[in-house]
Coordinates of all heavy atoms in Angstrom, one line a residue:
M1 N 39.2 141.5 -26.2 CA 39.5 142.9 -26.6 C 38.3 143.5 -27.4 O 38.2 144.7 -27.4 CB 40.7 142.9 -27.5 CG 42.0 142.5 -26.9 SD 42.5 143.7 -25.6 CE 43.2 145.0 -26.5
E2 N 37.5 142.7 -28.0 CA 36.3 143.3 -28.7 C 35.2 143.7 -27.8 O 34.3 144.3 -28.3 CB 35.9 142.3 -29.8 CG 36.9 142.1 -30.9 CD 36.4 141.2 -31.9 OE1 35.2 140.8 -31.9 OE2 37.2 140.8 -32.8
S3 N 35.2 143.2 -26.6 CA 34.1 143.6 -25.7 C 34.1 145.0 -25.2 O 33.1 145.6 -25.0 CB 34.0 142.7 -24.5 OG 35.2 142.8 -23.7
G4 N 35.3 145.6 -25.2 CA 35.4 147.0 -24.8 C 34.6 148.0 -25.7 O 33.8 148.8 -25.2
P5 N 34.9 147.9 -27.0 CA 34.1 148.8 -27.9 C 32.6 148.5 -27.9 O 31.8 149.4 -28.0 CB 34.7 148.6 -29.3 CG 36.1 148.1 -29.0 CD 36.0 147.3 -27.7
A6 N 32.2 147.3 -27.7 CA 30.8 146.9 -27.7 C 30.2 147.5 -26.5 O 29.0 148.0 -26.5 CB 30.6 145.4 -27.8
I7 N 30.8 147.5 -25.3 CA 30.3 148.0 -24.1 C 30.2 149.5 -24.2 O 29.2 150.1 -23.9 CB 31.2 147.6 -22.9 CG1 31.1 146.1 -22.6 CG2 30.8 148.4 -21.7 CD1 32.0 145.6 -21.6
F8 N 31.2 150.2 -24.8 CA 31.1 151.6 -25.0 C 30.0 152.0 -25.9 O 29.2 152.9 -25.6 CB 32.5 152.1 -25.5 CG 32.4 153.6 -25.8 CD1 32.5 154.5 -24.8 CD2 32.3 154.1 -27.1 CE1 32.5 155.9 -25.1 CE2 32.3 155.4 -27.4 CZ 32.4 156.3 -26.4
A9 N 29.9 151.3 -27.1 CA 28.9 151.7 -28.0 C 27.5 151.4 -27.5 O 26.6 152.2 -27.6 CB 29.1 150.9 -29.3
G10 N 27.3 150.3 -26.8 CA 26.0 149.9 -26.2 C 25.6 150.9 -25.2 O 24.4 151.4 -25.1
T11 N 26.5 151.4 -24.4 CA 26.2 152.4 -23.3 C 25.9 153.7 -24.0 O 24.9 154.4 -23.6 CB 27.4 152.6 -22.4 OG1 27.8 151.3 -21.8 CG2 27.2 153.6 -21.3
A12 N 26.6 154.1 -25.0 CA 26.3 155.4 -25.6 C 25.0 155.4 -26.3 O 24.2 156.3 -26.2 CB 27.4 155.7 -26.6
F13 N 24.7 154.3 -27.0 CA 23.4 154.2 -27.7 C 22.2 154.2 -26.7 O 21.2 154.8 -26.9 CB 23.3 153.0 -28.7 CG 24.1 153.2 -29.9 CD1 25.0 152.2 -30.4 CD2 24.0 154.3 -30.7 CE1 25.7 152.4 -31.6 CE2 24.6 154.5 -31.9 CZ 25.5 153.5 -32.3
A14 N 22.4 153.4 -25.7 CA 21.3 153.2 -24.7 C 21.0 154.5 -24.0 O 19.9 154.9 -23.7 CB 21.6 152.1 -23.8
L15 N 22.1 155.2 -23.5 CA 21.9 156.4 -22.8 C 21.3 157.5 -23.7 O 20.4 158.2 -23.3 CB 23.3 156.9 -22.2 CG 23.8 156.2 -21.0 CD1 25.2 156.7 -20.6 CD2 22.8 156.3 -19.8
F16 N 21.8 157.6 -24.9 CA 21.2 158.7 -25.8 C 19.8 158.4 -26.2 O 18.9 159.2 -26.2 CB 22.1 158.8 -27.0 CG 21.7 160.0 -27.9 CD1 21.9 161.3 -27.5 CD2 21.0 159.7 -29.1 CE1 21.5 162.3 -28.3 CE2 20.6 160.8 -29.9 CZ 20.8 162.1 -29.5
G17 N 19.5 157.1 -26.5 CA 18.2 156.7 -26.9 C 17.2 156.9 -25.7 O 16.1 157.4 -25.9
G18 N 17.6 156.5 -24.5 CA 16.7 156.7 -23.3 C 16.5 158.1 -23.0 O 15.4 158.6 -22.7
A19 N 17.6 158.9 -23.1 CA 17.4 160.4 -22.8 C 16.5 161.0 -23.9 O 15.7 161.9 -23.6 CB 18.8 161.0 -22.8
L20 N 16.7 160.6 -25.1 CA 15.8 161.2 -26.2 C 14.4 160.9 -26.0 O 13.5 161.7 -26.2 CB 16.3 160.7 -27.6 CG 15.7 161.4 -28.8 CD1 16.0 162.9 -28.8 CD2 16.3 160.7 -30.1
L21 N 14.1 159.6 -25.6 CA 12.7 159.2 -25.3 C 12.1 160.0 -24.1 O 11.0 160.5 -24.2 CB 12.6 157.7 -25.1 CG 12.7 156.8 -26.3 CD1 12.8 155.4 -25.9 CD2 11.5 157.1 -27.2
L22 N 12.9 160.2 -23.1 CA 12.5 160.9 -21.9 C 12.2 162.3 -22.2 O 11.2 162.9 -21.9 CB 13.5 160.8 -20.8 CG 13.2 161.5 -19.5 CD1 12.0 160.9 -18.8 CD2 14.4 161.5 -18.6
W23 N 13.1 163.0 -23.0 CA 13.0 164.4 -23.3 C 11.8 164.6 -24.2 O 11.0 165.5 -24.0 CB 14.3 164.8 -24.1 CG 14.2 166.3 -24.5 CD1 14.4 167.4 -23.8 CD2 13.9 166.7 -25.8 NE1 14.3 168.5 -24.5 CE2 14.0 168.1 -25.8 CE3 13.6 166.1 -27.0 CZ2 13.8 168.9 -26.9 CZ3 13.4 166.9 -28.1 CH2 13.5 168.3 -28.1
T24 N 11.5 163.7 -25.2 CA 10.4 163.8 -26.1 C 9.1 163.7 -25.3 O 8.1 164.4 -25.5 CB 10.4 162.7 -27.2 OG1 11.7 162.9 -27.9 CG2 9.3 162.8 -28.1
T25 N 9.1 162.7 -24.3 CA 7.9 162.5 -23.5 C 7.6 163.7 -22.7 O 6.4 164.2 -22.6 CB 8.1 161.3 -22.6 OG1 8.3 160.1 -23.4 CG2 6.8 161.0 -21.8
V26 N 8.6 164.3 -22.1 CA 8.4 165.5 -21.2 C 7.9 166.7 -22.1 O 6.9 167.4 -21.7 CB 9.7 165.9 -20.5 CG1 9.6 167.3 -19.8 CG2 10.0 164.8 -19.4
R27 N 8.5 166.9 -23.3 CA 8.0 168.0 -24.1 C 6.6 167.8 -24.6 O 5.8 168.8 -24.6 CB 9.0 168.1 -25.3 CG 10.4 168.4 -25.0 CD 10.6 169.8 -24.5 NE 10.5 170.8 -25.6 CZ 10.8 172.0 -25.4 NH1 11.2 172.5 -24.3 NH2 10.6 172.9 -26.5
V28 N 6.2 166.6 -25.0 CA 4.9 166.4 -25.5 C 3.9 166.5 -24.3 O 2.8 167.1 -24.5 CB 4.8 164.9 -26.1 CG1 3.3 164.5 -26.3 CG2 5.6 164.9 -27.4
R29 N 4.2 166.0 -23.1 CA 3.2 166.2 -22.0 C 3.1 167.6 -21.6 O 2.0 168.0 -21.1 CB 3.7 165.3 -20.8 CG 3.5 163.9 -21.0 CD 3.9 163.1 -19.8 NE 3.1 161.9 -19.8 CZ 2.4 161.5 -18.7 NH1 2.4 162.2 -17.6 NH2 1.6 160.4 -18.8
Q30 N 4.1 168.4 -21.7 CA 4.0 169.8 -21.4 C 3.4 170.7 -22.5 O 3.1 171.9 -22.3 CB 5.4 170.4 -21.0 CG 5.9 169.8 -19.7 CD 7.3 170.4 -19.4 OE1 7.9 171.0 -20.3 NE2 7.8 170.1 -18.3
G31 N 3.2 170.1 -23.6 CA 2.6 170.8 -24.8 C 3.5 171.7 -25.5 O 3.1 172.6 -26.2
E32 N 4.8 171.5 -25.3 CA 5.8 172.3 -25.9 C 6.3 171.7 -27.2 O 6.2 170.4 -27.3 CB 7.0 172.6 -25.0 CG 6.6 173.3 -23.7 CD 7.7 173.6 -22.8 OE1 8.9 173.5 -23.3 OE2 7.5 173.9 -21.6
P33 N 6.8 172.4 -28.2 CA 7.3 171.8 -29.4 C 8.5 170.9 -29.2 O 9.4 171.2 -28.4 CB 7.6 173.0 -30.3 CG 7.8 174.1 -29.4 CD 7.0 173.9 -28.2
V34 N 8.5 169.9 -29.9 CA 9.7 168.9 -29.9 C 10.8 169.5 -30.8 O 11.9 169.4 -30.5 CB 9.2 167.5 -30.3 CG1 10.4 166.6 -30.4 CG2 8.2 167.0 -29.3
A35 N 10.4 170.0 -32.0 CA 11.3 170.6 -32.9 C 10.7 171.9 -33.5 O 9.5 171.8 -33.8 CB 11.7 169.6 -34.0
L36 N 11.4 172.9 -33.6 CA 10.9 174.2 -34.1 C 10.7 174.1 -35.6 O 11.5 173.6 -36.3 CB 11.8 175.4 -33.7 CG 11.9 175.6 -32.2 CD1 13.0 176.8 -32.0 CD2 10.6 176.0 -31.6
G37 N 9.5 174.6 -36.0 CA 9.3 174.7 -37.5 C 8.8 173.4 -38.1 O 8.7 173.3 -39.3
V38 N 8.4 172.4 -37.3 CA 8.0 171.1 -37.8 C 6.6 170.8 -37.1 O 6.4 171.3 -36.0 CB 9.0 170.0 -37.4 CG1 8.5 168.6 -37.9 CG2 10.4 170.3 -37.9
A39 N 5.8 170.1 -37.8 CA 4.5 169.8 -37.3 C 4.7 169.0 -36.0 O 5.5 168.1 -35.9 CB 3.7 168.9 -38.3
P40 N 3.9 169.3 -34.9 CA 4.2 168.7 -33.6 C 4.0 167.2 -33.6 O 4.9 166.5 -33.0 CB 3.1 169.4 -32.7 CG 2.7 170.6 -33.4 CD 2.9 170.4 -34.8
R41 N 3.0 166.7 -34.2 CA 2.9 165.2 -34.2 C 4.0 164.5 -35.0 O 4.5 163.5 -34.5 CB 1.5 164.8 -34.8 CG 0.4 165.1 -33.9 CD -0.9 164.6 -34.4 NE -2.0 165.0 -33.5 CZ -3.3 164.8 -33.8 NH1 -3.6 164.2 -34.9 NH2 -4.2 165.2 -32.9
A42 N 4.3 165.1 -36.1 CA 5.4 164.4 -36.9 C 6.7 164.5 -36.2 O 7.5 163.5 -36.2 CB 5.5 165.2 -38.3
A43 N 7.0 165.6 -35.5 CA 8.3 165.7 -34.8 C 8.3 164.7 -33.6 O 9.3 164.1 -33.4 CB 8.4 167.1 -34.3
A44 N 7.2 164.6 -32.9 CA 7.1 163.6 -31.8 C 7.3 162.2 -32.2 O 8.0 161.4 -31.6 CB 5.8 163.8 -31.0
V45 N 6.6 161.9 -33.4 CA 6.7 160.5 -33.9 C 8.1 160.2 -34.3 O 8.7 159.1 -34.0 CB 5.7 160.3 -35.0 CG1 5.9 159.0 -35.7 CG2 4.3 160.3 -34.5
V46 N 8.7 161.0 -35.1 CA 10.1 160.8 -35.6 C 11.1 160.7 -34.5 O 11.9 159.8 -34.5 CB 10.4 161.8 -36.7 CG1 11.9 161.7 -37.1 CG2 9.6 161.7 -37.9
T47 N 11.0 161.6 -33.6 CA 11.9 161.6 -32.4 C 11.7 160.4 -31.6 O 12.7 159.8 -31.1 CB 11.7 162.9 -31.6 OG1 11.8 164.0 -32.5 CG2 12.8 163.0 -30.5
G48 N 10.5 160.0 -31.3 CA 10.2 158.8 -30.5 C 10.7 157.6 -31.2 O 11.3 156.7 -30.5
L49 N 10.5 157.4 -32.5 CA 11.0 156.3 -33.2 C 12.5 156.2 -33.2 O 13.1 155.2 -33.1 CB 10.5 156.3 -34.7 CG 9.0 156.0 -34.8 CD1 8.6 156.1 -36.3 CD2 8.7 154.6 -34.3
T50 N 13.2 157.4 -33.4 CA 14.6 157.5 -33.3 C 15.2 157.1 -32.0 O 16.1 156.3 -31.9 CB 15.1 158.9 -33.7 OG1 14.6 159.2 -35.0 CG2 16.6 159.0 -33.7
G51 N 14.5 157.5 -30.9 CA 14.9 157.2 -29.6 C 14.8 155.7 -29.3 O 15.7 155.0 -28.7
A52 N 13.7 155.1 -29.8 CA 13.4 153.7 -29.6 C 14.5 152.9 -30.4 O 14.9 151.8 -29.9 CB 12.0 153.3 -30.0
L53 N 14.8 153.3 -31.6 CA 15.8 152.6 -32.4 C 17.1 152.7 -31.8 O 17.8 151.6 -31.7 CB 15.8 153.3 -33.8 CG 16.9 152.7 -34.8 CD1 16.4 151.4 -35.2 CD2 17.1 153.7 -35.9
L54 N 17.5 153.8 -31.2 CA 18.8 153.9 -30.6 C 18.9 153.1 -29.3 O 19.9 152.4 -29.0 CB 19.2 155.4 -30.3 CG 19.5 156.2 -31.5 CD1 19.6 157.7 -31.1 CD2 20.8 155.8 -32.1
L55 N 17.8 153.0 -28.6 CA 17.8 152.2 -27.4 C 17.8 150.7 -27.7 O 18.6 150.0 -27.1 CB 16.5 152.5 -26.6 CG 16.3 151.9 -25.2 CD1 17.5 152.3 -24.3 CD2 15.0 152.2 -24.6
G56 N 17.1 150.3 -28.8 CA 17.2 149.0 -29.2 C 18.6 148.6 -29.8 O 19.1 147.5 -29.5
L57 N 19.2 149.5 -30.4 CA 20.6 149.3 -30.9 C 21.6 149.1 -29.8 O 22.5 148.3 -29.8 CB 21.0 150.5 -31.8 CG 22.4 150.3 -32.6 CD1 22.3 149.1 -33.5 CD2 22.6 151.6 -33.4
G58 N 21.4 149.9 -28.7 CA 22.2 149.7 -27.5 C 22.0 148.4 -26.9 O 23.0 147.7 -26.5
L59 N 20.8 148.0 -26.8 CA 20.5 146.6 -26.2 C 21.1 145.5 -27.1 O 21.6 144.5 -26.6 CB 19.0 146.5 -26.0 CG 18.4 147.4 -24.9 CD1 16.9 147.2 -24.9 CD2 19.0 147.1 -23.6
W60 N 21.0 145.7 -28.4 CA 21.6 144.7 -29.3 C 23.1 144.6 -29.1 O 23.7 143.5 -29.1 CB 21.3 145.1 -30.8 CG 21.9 144.2 -31.8 CD1 21.4 143.0 -32.1 CD2 23.0 144.4 -32.6 NE1 22.2 142.4 -33.1 CE2 23.2 143.3 -33.4 CE3 23.9 145.5 -32.6 CZ2 24.3 143.2 -34.3 CZ3 25.0 145.3 -33.5 CH2 25.2 144.2 -34.3
C61 N 23.8 145.8 -28.9 CA 25.2 145.8 -28.7 C 25.5 145.0 -27.4 O 26.5 144.2 -27.4 CB 25.8 147.2 -28.6 SG 25.9 148.1 -30.1
F62 N 24.7 145.2 -26.4 CA 25.0 144.4 -25.1 C 24.7 142.9 -25.3 O 25.3 142.1 -24.7 CB 24.1 145.0 -24.0 CG 24.6 146.3 -23.5 CD1 23.7 147.3 -23.3 CD2 25.9 146.5 -23.2 CE1 24.1 148.5 -22.8 CE2 26.4 147.7 -22.7 CZ 25.5 148.7 -22.5
G63 N 23.7 142.6 -26.2 CA 23.4 141.2 -26.5 C 24.5 140.5 -27.2 O 24.6 139.3 -27.2
R64 N 25.4 141.2 -27.9 CA 26.5 140.6 -28.7 C 27.7 140.3 -27.9 O 28.6 139.7 -28.4 CB 26.9 141.6 -29.8 CG 25.8 142.0 -30.8 CD 25.4 141.0 -31.7 NE 26.6 140.7 -32.6 CZ 26.6 139.7 -33.4 NH1 25.5 138.9 -33.6 NH2 27.6 139.5 -34.2
L65 N 27.7 140.6 -26.6 CA 28.8 140.4 -25.7 C 29.0 138.9 -25.4 O 28.3 138.1 -25.2 CB 28.7 141.1 -24.4 CG 28.9 142.6 -24.6 CD1 28.7 143.3 -23.2 CD2 30.2 143.0 -25.1

């Protein structure tokens, strides 16, 4: 019974983290701001680290199955 929530959480974290990394990469390559009103490099770094953290958390959830 505990594998259901772990699968759901792992999927949600992995999808959101992957999408965030992809979105950040596209915005940086196009030279567009990642976040309005924030220094471009700082926004890209923080967003990239957050995406990587969420993707890793999703993989960790799948590893706990």
